[in-house]
Amino acid sequence: MGKRREPRMPIELPVRIFGTDADGKIFSENVTTIDVSQNGAGLRGVRARIQLDEIIGVMYATNKVHFRVKWVGAPETPKQGHVGLLNLTPEKPFWGLTLPCGASDNFQYAGKDRRQFVRVKCSIPVELHPVGQTVIRARASDLSVGGCFVEMPIPLQVNTRCEIALWLGETKLRLKGEVVSTAPGFGIGMRFANTSKQDQELLEQHIANIV
């Protein structure tokens, strides 16, 4: 596991999770929390095979936000079916509980990082130009040199290729991209393709200014 500085409240709450599993199939399940905090949650009873760092939707009562998967219990162990999540919008009320105070939750999975590039939270206007479709205007909620997550209620299909334009400050950066994951009700994970050295440097500079 990793090191967690934020105290969590042990509590069982019924939640619904949904998204795309490791095989690219859409799932939706009713599961139970083990503990919660402002910045994360632990779940049990998860049947879907979910990849580390995947973004999934979580619904509690009428509240709905998206979380990033930070650890997954190993099969055929007492932790099978357990998942640790990091809230991507902790500033928004979600649990409706008075939670313990503490430092921000910087929990990370202790195993090898599954991503090639570090991602940062952001709020960047984007335009998607799928071939043969109208322009889609949305926002990216996280960004790396290799890709981003674009929020949209009705996601594009996996493997859809399109041009993506990102507003990095006053600069409009145009890149080629491909949809690599979808989370119905939340958005899509995009991978940038054939990025030039100059465009990579612009992305790196913008990410460095966010961190």
Side-chain angles (χ1 to χ4, degrees), residues 128-140:
L128 299 178
H129 299 257
V131 177
Q133 300 184 38
T134 58
V135 176
I136 300 171
R137 291 177 173 84
R139 301 193 75 84

Side-chain angles (χ1 to χ4, degrees), residues 18 56-59 63-67 87 89 92-94 186:
F18 50 93
I56 66 172
V58 179
M59 187 168 186
N63 298 327
K64 183 173 65 175
V65 298
H66 51 264
F67 287 70
N87 191 345
T89 52
K92 297 180 181 180
F94 182 65
F186 289 92

Side-chain angles (χ1 to χ4, degrees), residues 6 8 35-42 67 84-87 90 95 105:
E6 183 189 49
R8 294 198 173 190
D35 50 41
V36 302
S37 73
Q38 190 67 28
N39 291 276
F67 287 70
L85 303 177
L86 179 67
N87 191 345
W95 298 112
D105 193 341

Side-chain angles (χ1 to χ4, degrees), residues 29-180:
E29 299 181 4
N30 292 317
V31 298
T32 304
T33 64
I34 301 170
D35 50 41
V36 302
S37 73
Q38 190 67 28
N39 291 276
L43 306 178
R44 63 175 175 81
V46 178
R47 298 182 300 278
R49 190 165 64 90
I50 310 173
Q51 289 184 324
L52 293 177
D53 276 337
E54 186 61 75
I55 294 174
I56 66 172
V58 179
M59 187 168 186
Y60 173 62
T62 59
N63 298 327
K64 183 173 65 175
V65 298
H66 51 264
F67 287 70
R68 190 185 301 283
V69 177
K70 300 307 295 182
W71 63 266
V72 177
E76 300 182 3
T77 72
K79 292 294 184 181
Q80 180 173 343
H82 290 208
V83 173
L85 303 177
L86 179 67
N87 191 345
L88 295 182
T89 52
E91 68 278 4
K92 297 180 181 180
F94 182 65
W95 298 112
L97 302 170
T98 301
L99 298 170
C101 297
S104 61
D105 193 341
N106 67 340
F107 179 80
Q108 294 185 357
Y109 184 69
K112 183 179 180 181
D113 190 352
R114 296 286 290 273
R115 290 192 188 274
Q116 184 180 358
F117 305 104
V118 174
R119 293 203 174 200
V120 295
K121 287 182 61 179
C122 65
S123 181
I124 298 174
V126 300
E127 294 176 2
L128 299 178
H129 299 257
V131 177
Q133 300 184 38
T134 58
V135 176
I136 300 171
R137 291 177 173 84
R139 301 193 75 84
S141 59
D142 70 23
L143 176 69
S144 80
V145 175
C148 64
F149 185 85
V150 180
E151 297 180 335
M152 58 174 60
I154 303 176
L156 298 172
Q157 293 183 345
V158 172
N159 298 325
T160 298
R161 296 181 181 180
C162 59
E163 181 182 87
I164 178 170
L166 302 95
W167 285 100
L168 305 182
E170 299 298 320
T171 302
K172 190 174 186 179
L173 180 62
R174 296 182 182 273
L175 302 169
K176 298 295 184 182
E178 181 181 4
V179 179
V180 294

Side-chain angles (χ1 to χ4, degrees), residues 178-198:
E178 181 181 4
V179 179
V180 294
S181 65
T182 66
F186 289 92
I188 57 174
M190 293 284 299
R191 178 173 59 212
F192 302 144
N194 302 321
T195 309
S196 69
K197 183 177 180 181
Q198 181 180 3

